Amino acid sequence: MPHSVQGSPLLGIDEPTLIAYFAALNDERYEEVAALFAEEGVLYPPFEEPVIGRGAIAHYLHLEAAGMRAEPRKGELLAQEGTERCYRLVGKAKLPLFSVNVAWQFGLNTENQITFVKVDLLATLEELFNYQPLRQQR
């Protein structure tokens, strides 16, 4: 099985759960994304409160991730402590009006369920403040 996400190599990571996460996320199959989480798994979106539990994660993704495309480019196993493995991936998140560099940090338990995903934007404050939505021209 090639280790890719929608044709993009996921360098350094061959973890099926992570590959499935990005494939389902990019296909907007949010219930499938949420099903990859442990029952009380947590999504830590940037600048927002944690989203806890599969149902809440699916609901959040339906509201906030529509039209987004995640493009992880490189990943590594950060640590294997006790029964949890931690991974870090970097790449881009493309939204309808802009794209931004992103780092995703994942925790996986012994059942290969996601215990947490932390999403960090890798942009300077200046870059974020300078972002202005495209405006319709009259």
Side-chain angles (χ1 to χ4, degrees):
M1 172 179 158
H3 302 298
S4 64
V5 177
Q6 302 285 335
S8 299
L10 189 52
L11 300 176
I13 299 292
D14 62 357
E15 175 56 56
T17 302
L18 302 184
I19 294 167
Y21 174 92
F22 287 107
L25 183 68
N26 286 340
D27 287 344
E28 298 186 7
R29 293 179 279 128
Y30 303 127
E31 284 77 16
E32 289 181 37
V33 173
L36 296 168
F37 280 79
E39 187 63 38
E40 293 300 316
V42 183
L43 173 65
Y44 296 95
F47 312 117
E48 296 187 44
E49 293 296 315
V51 181
I52 303 169
R54 293 176 183 151
I57 290 168
H59 179 72
Y60 174 85
L61 292 174
H62 276 288
L63 293 175
E64 301 295 333
M68 183 188 76
R69 179 161 180 80
E71 296 183 352
R73 297 289 185 203
K74 183 178 172 184
E76 64 181 327
L77 175 64
L78 289 180
Q80 187 162 352
E81 298 178 14
T83 60
E84 187 163 79
R85 300 179 316 279
C86 293
Y87 293 88
R88 182 172 191 267
L89 291 86
V90 293
K92 284 197 175 288
K94 293 187 175 182
L95 294 105
L97 298 178
F98 67 97
S99 65
V100 64
N101 292 323
V102 176
W104 295 270
Q105 189 169 331
F106 288 85
L108 292 173
N109 64 20
T110 56
E111 289 84 37
N112 294 318
Q113 296 173 319
I114 299 170
T115 55
F116 73 88
V117 175
K118 185 172 189 237
V119 182
D120 292 315
L121 302 183
L122 302 179
T124 65
L125 284 176
E126 182 179 355
E127 288 171 324
L128 293 173
F129 285 131
N130 285 336
Y131 165 72
Q132 294 181 0
L134 298 174
R135 297 189 181 160
Q136 289 183 340
Q137 296 183 2
R138 295 177 190 208

